[in-house]
């Protein structure tokens, strides 16, 4: 082949390639434009627990996070305490979307300081609105029956968190502790919500109540307020407002024997009250009372279907891929694993959770 012909052929090939790349309908060109899928105001925002040294915050930025959970100390919060709590995350390029609020003992148990605790809440909500915090998470546990947790050996020797109600269902009330019926707790919750939800609406701050987990019937003499799907709906009906919402946990949903996608549709599409998401997986032997928390890529929850449902709803708030499993890399790290759950993991396993959730999100945005 002559040098002249070779050059002509090369120019022809280059011209065809350039034309294909510049053609709007080129499948390859479209794929390049659409990948990675864009994240925005109307897509889920993956978060992890905040706090720790600057190196840890920098780590979350390195693995692709833009958002994080915060902590602002004891109530009542002030604008100054919130901004001070946000500052380290912001320095690492992370935005704080949600924080846990405590100070609920007398609200839950009907104690003498109930109104003072509610006033603290109102001050915190107003400060959160002014400081730009979107969501406040909280618990309404008369007692949490964590005594039924135990470690279970999982794949490759990793740690799982199993729950067995039989280990703890007959435990008596703690010494000196008050016990409550569900009816009493509902009355107290209504009193609380009627005081704080109007303030949350004015401040444009959503509240997210985490349901009972474990979702067992009773906990050391206390009936449970939020351990069934019907109970969840009862609570949301006390004061109907998107600002009276939930931390929706797809793992707890499956623990109760419910279908996570169906429940997500009801809470999100029908009620607009999913104000935070916990993204985790479980194997259930008997609903409510006997199950094991496992890796995100196993278990009975279809995690892609859950993410796809949230994306289709244009759910715009935080999603926490929580409860990492125990692995040797974390066990052997300096200081070991610090986790409140038997079989729970540390930073390396949490990175896995983040990566898995991010992959699910990108996949859901691409179909």
């Amino acid at each position: 082949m002559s040098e002249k012909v070779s050059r002509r052929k090369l120019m022809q090939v280059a011209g065809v390639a350039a034309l294909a790349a510049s053609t709007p309908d080129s499948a390859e060109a479209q794929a390049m434009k659409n990948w990675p899928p864009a994240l925005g105001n109307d897509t889920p925002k993956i978060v992890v627990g905040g706090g720790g040294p600057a190196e840890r915050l920098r780590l979350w930025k390195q693995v692709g996070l833009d958002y994080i959970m915060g902590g602002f100390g004891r109530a009542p919060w002030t604008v100054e305490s919130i901004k001070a709590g946000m500052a380290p995350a912001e320095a690492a390029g992370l935005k704080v979307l949600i924080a846990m609020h405590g100070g609920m003992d007398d609200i839950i148990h009907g104690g003498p300081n109930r109104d003072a605790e509610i006033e603290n809440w109102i001050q915190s909500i107003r400060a959160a609105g002014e400081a730009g915090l979107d969501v406040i998470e909280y618990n309404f546990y008369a007692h949490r029956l964590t005594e039924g947790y135990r470690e279970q050996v999982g794949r490759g020797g990793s740690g799982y968190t199993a729950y067995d109600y039989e280990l703890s269902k007959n435990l008596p009330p703690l010494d000196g502790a008050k016990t409550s019926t569900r009816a009493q707790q509902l009355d107290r919750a209504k009193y609380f919500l009627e005081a704080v939800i109007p303030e949350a609406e004015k401040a444009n701050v959503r509240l997210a109540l985490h349901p009972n987990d474990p979702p067992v019937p009773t906990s050391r003499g206390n009936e449970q307020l939020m351990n069934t799907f019907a109970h969840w709906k009862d609570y949301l009906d006390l004061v109907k407002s998107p600002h009276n919402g939930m931390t929706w946990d797809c793992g707890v949903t499956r623990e109760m024997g419910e279908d996570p996608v169906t429940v997500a549709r009801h809470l999100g599409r029908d009620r607009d009250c999913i104000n935070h998401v916990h993204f985790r997986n479980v194997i259930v032997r008997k609903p409510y009372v006997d199950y094991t928390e496992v890796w995100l890529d196993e278990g009975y929850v279809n995690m892609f279907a859950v993410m796809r449902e949230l994306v289709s709803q244009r759910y715009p708030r935080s999603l926490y891929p929580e409860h990492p499993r125990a692995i040797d890399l974390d066990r052997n790290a300096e200081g070991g694993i610090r986790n409140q759950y038997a079989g729970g993991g540390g930073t390396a396993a949490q990175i896995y959770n983040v990566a898995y959730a991010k992959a699910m999100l990108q996949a859901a945005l691409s179909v």
Side-chain angles (χ1 to χ4, degrees), residues 176-258:
K178 298 178 181 178
T179 59
S180 301
T181 66
R182 183 167 179 273
Q184 288 173 319
Q185 293 174 59
L186 271 174
D187 285 343
R188 295 163 188 165
K190 184 177 182 182
Y191 186 88
F192 165 70
L193 292 172
E194 287 178 344
V196 301
I197 293 302
E199 296 291 339
E201 291 173 339
K202 286 187 286 187
N204 196 28
V205 174
R206 292 193 178 215
L207 305 189
L209 173 68
H210 195 290
N212 288 115
D213 182 34
V216 293
T218 59
S219 182
R220 284 192 177 267
N222 294 277
E223 294 179 351
Q224 299 277 53
L225 176 64
M226 291 280 287
N227 75 303
T228 72
F229 184 32
H231 290 175
W232 295 5
K233 291 185 280 190
D234 288 345
Y235 191 93
L236 297 171
D237 284 342
L238 291 175
V239 176
K240 292 184 179 181
S241 168
H243 297 266
N244 175 30
M246 288 186 60
T247 292
W248 176 63
D249 190 318
C250 60
V252 174
T253 304
R254 181 56 76 188
E255 290 166 13
M256 300 187 309
E258 302 283 351

Side-chain angles (χ1 to χ4, degrees), residues 37-179:
L39 305 178
N41 292 333
D42 59 353
T43 57
K45 295 166 179 59
I46 299 171
V47 299
V48 295
E55 294 81 6
R56 182 175 173 83
L57 293 170
R58 186 165 176 259
L59 167 66
W60 299 128
K61 191 66 179 179
Q62 290 173 341
V63 299
L65 292 187
D66 294 313
Y67 306 97
I68 202 164
M69 300 162 65
F72 308 128
R74 297 183 57 137
W77 298 341
T78 64
V79 174
E80 291 73 25
S81 68
I82 293 173
K83 288 185 174 180
M86 289 178 168
E90 291 175 347
L94 300 164
K95 177 178 172 58
V96 178
L97 292 184
I98 181 171
M100 176 69 74
H101 195 289
M104 298 281 291
D105 285 350
D106 279 19
I107 293 171
I108 294 169
H109 297 288
N113 295 316
R114 175 174 65 172
D115 289 339
E117 288 180 349
I118 288 174
E119 181 57 33
N120 285 345
W121 259 90
I122 290 172
Q123 292 183 41
S124 294
I125 289 169
R126 291 171 177 169
E130 187 174 342
L133 180 70
D134 296 336
V135 179
I136 298 176
E137 187 179 22
Y138 67 107
N139 295 315
F140 209 107
Y141 293 148
H143 179 266
R144 188 179 185 200
L145 197 64
T146 58
E147 293 89 342
Y149 286 117
R150 59 181 175 82
E151 182 167 2
Q152 179 178 323
V153 177
R155 68 185 186 202
S158 59
Y160 294 168
T161 301
Y163 191 83
D164 184 354
Y165 188 43
E166 293 297 322
L167 298 176
S168 53
K169 70 178 183 179
N170 295 319
L171 290 174
L174 296 170
D175 290 344
K178 298 178 181 178
T179 59

